[in-house]
Amino acid sequence: MAITINTLRDYKARGEAFAALTAYDAAFAQVLSEAGVDVLLIGDSLGMVLQGNDSTLPVTLEDICYHVSCVAAGNRGSLIMADMPFMTYGTLPDALNNAAELMRAGAHMVKLEGTDWMRDTISALSERGVPVCAHLGLTPQFVNKFGGYKVQGRGEEQADQMVEHASSLVAAGADVILLECVPAPLATRITKAVDAPVIGIGAGKDTDGQVLVLHDMLGIPEGRKAKFVKNFLAESGSIPGAIKAYVEAVRNRTFPGEEHTFK
Ligand code: KIV
């Protein structure tokens, strides 16, 4: 049966963790979907992993639309979430028109990076039938404002503010919250504070779902990896095996471990 926003809400209600991964093409979309990955994210991380840029900023709406249509062709019932690239939702008309393009390409939900300034945009999208995931914490489109890729929400004030932002965006209509690189206790607080399912990356084991960049969890390319990444291919020996091992580890909450977690 196809995964919908209701499936993710049911997972949260039952306390069962769900798995998400980035996907950019039809072949991987099929493998991931058949291995039980609930959410396929066409992330603007493709600017780094596919295009070789040093940030996500050069990614265009056309890039994401193209990869969404590829993923939609290979999908076997997972929920397709598409990133809105840098500066494609800075004004309300842009947000509405560009989200429509992504939905037409095959997305079931769009993801936006930001804080409470996105309230009106999220309400407008939601009221017009576009499910939204609000990405908080380390939002890579803000790398130049953050001065690098840094853990967010470390101080008490920053943490309280993030809880407030998550609650206010859910009240505005966000269906899912995604938390990137935040201390685990803060992610747990936000997961308990909001009704919407919360997906974490570098946010500890207690969020409702987990996501990783596909290439990271396959160890491609070899070399230095972020603290929150585990190479599942190293232990599994095959790509479908690695994906299944990831899904199982997320579902039984053995991933992420302490060694992948910011305190
Ligand atoms: O672009 C992306 O792949 C993402 C994930 C890192 C969550 O936003």
Side-chain angles (χ1 to χ4, degrees):
M1 227 169 55
I3 307 289
T4 68
I5 178 59
N6 293 333
T7 321
L8 304 187
R9 289 188 189 121
D10 289 347
Y11 278 133
K12 180 171 181 116
R14 292 199 301 269
E16 284 173 29
F18 60 88
L21 277 176
T22 64
Y24 314 105
D25 64 46
F28 269 106
Q30 183 173 342
V31 172
L32 269 53
S33 201
E34 287 176 348
V37 176
D38 299 287
V39 179
L40 306 181
L41 168 63
I42 297 81
D44 58 3
S45 54
L46 70 83
M48 298 166 93
V49 293
L50 300 190
Q51 298 173 339
N53 300 308
D54 63 1
S55 81
T56 60
L57 272 54
V59 176
T60 65
L61 188 74
E62 289 68 30
D63 292 335
I64 299 280
C65 282
Y66 170 73
H67 288 282
V68 168
S69 64
C70 296
V71 167
N75 184 31
R76 297 293 184 267
S78 302
L79 186 142
I80 298 179
M81 183 190 289
D83 254 341
M84 297 201 69
F86 178 62
M87 217 44 90
T88 60
Y89 49 100
T91 66
L92 194 51
D94 278 355
L96 295 178
N97 291 330
N98 293 332
E101 288 301 315
L102 292 169
M103 300 296 281
R104 284 188 198 111
H108 303 126
M109 179 178 293
V110 299
K111 176 162 82 60
L112 278 59
E113 298 182 12
T115 55
D116 54 348
W117 63 267
M118 302 195 302
R119 277 187 61 93
D120 291 348
T121 309
I122 290 175
S123 295
L125 287 167
S126 176
E127 283 159 1
R128 287 159 182 78
V130 179
V132 177
C133 170
H135 183 156
L136 296 171
L138 170 52
T139 43
Q141 292 174 16
F142 290 72
V143 61
N144 294 303
K145 287 290 281 181
F146 292 154
Y149 297 99
K150 296 170 191 211
V151 176
Q152 300 294 309
R154 279 214 193 269
E156 200 176 320
E157 203 177 312
Q158 251 209 3
D160 289 347
Q161 204 174 47
M162 207 182 294
V163 179
E164 242 173 67
H165 288 160
S167 302
S168 122
L169 296 181
V170 171
D175 296 279
V176 173
I177 296 288
L178 189 146
L179 298 176
E180 178 164 352
C181 289
V182 303
L186 172 57
T188 305
R189 227 178 115 189
I190 294 174
T191 304
K192 287 184 180 154
V194 298
D195 291 337
V198 176
I199 303 178
I201 173 166
K205 67 172 175 45
D206 291 327
T207 51
D208 302 305
Q210 298 289 334
V211 64
L212 281 177
V213 170
L214 176 66
H215 292 58
D216 289 347
M217 58 83 73
L218 295 177
I220 304 169
E222 278 183 348
R224 208 174 145 260
K225 59 177 175 50
K227 179 182 170 75
F228 55 83
V229 170
K230 176 173 171 182
N231 178 347
F232 283 87
L233 183 57
E235 287 172 14
S236 307
S238 78
I239 289 176
I243 308 299
K244 283 184 193 137
Y246 167 73
V247 171
E248 199 179 313
V250 168
R251 290 201 179 139
N252 64 28
R253 295 195 193 269
T254 53
F255 177 81
E258 289 295 308
E259 69 278 26
H260 308 116
T261 301
F262 301 108
K263 296 289 166 199

